[in-house]
Amino acid sequence: MSESVSEAEVATEAEPEYDPAAPAPLNVPRTPTGNADVDAQLDRLGDADHLATDGHVEVYEDVHRGLRDALTALDARPGHPVPPTSYHQSRS
């Protein structure tokens, strides 16, 4: 018998087995929002594509925290003063 490896064995070793439970990218398109902080958080969601399901929670919580911080920062930005609304209308 020969010590060489048959072509069938080489082909089998070169192709990875299909594992339906393995992490796989969802390929969900992420449309830029125009806000750099928000876009960075949305891009971070792509990190979950390469993790097992039990690793998704950490990424999702991190993204949620980042989006919440981005929204808070928008509220804290100084802007034009808003004129006060008057709830009492004079009846003269």
Side-chain angles (χ1 to χ4, degrees):
M1 265 179 99
S2 166
E3 299 258 341
S4 66
V5 179
S6 73
E7 289 181 31
E9 290 173 335
V10 171
T12 304
E13 290 177 16
E15 296 176 19
E17 285 187 39
Y18 173 70
D19 181 4
L26 296 175
N27 297 321
V28 175
R30 289 181 275 286
T31 305
T33 64
N35 182 297
D37 294 333
V38 173
D39 290 340
Q41 294 304 319
L42 294 177
D43 287 341
R44 170 97 168 89
L45 286 174
D47 294 346
D49 286 349
H50 308 289
L51 299 173
T53 306
D54 60 348
H56 290 191
V57 173
E58 183 178 338
V59 173
Y60 295 157
E61 287 177 347
D62 184 45
V63 169
H64 181 260
R65 189 172 24 259
L67 290 172
R68 188 178 54 229
D69 291 347
L71 287 173
T72 301
L74 289 174
D75 286 341
R77 273 191 202 162
H80 298 289
V82 177
T85 55
S86 174
Y87 294 104
H88 302 286
Q89 294 180 351
S90 63
R91 296 184 176 186
S92 22

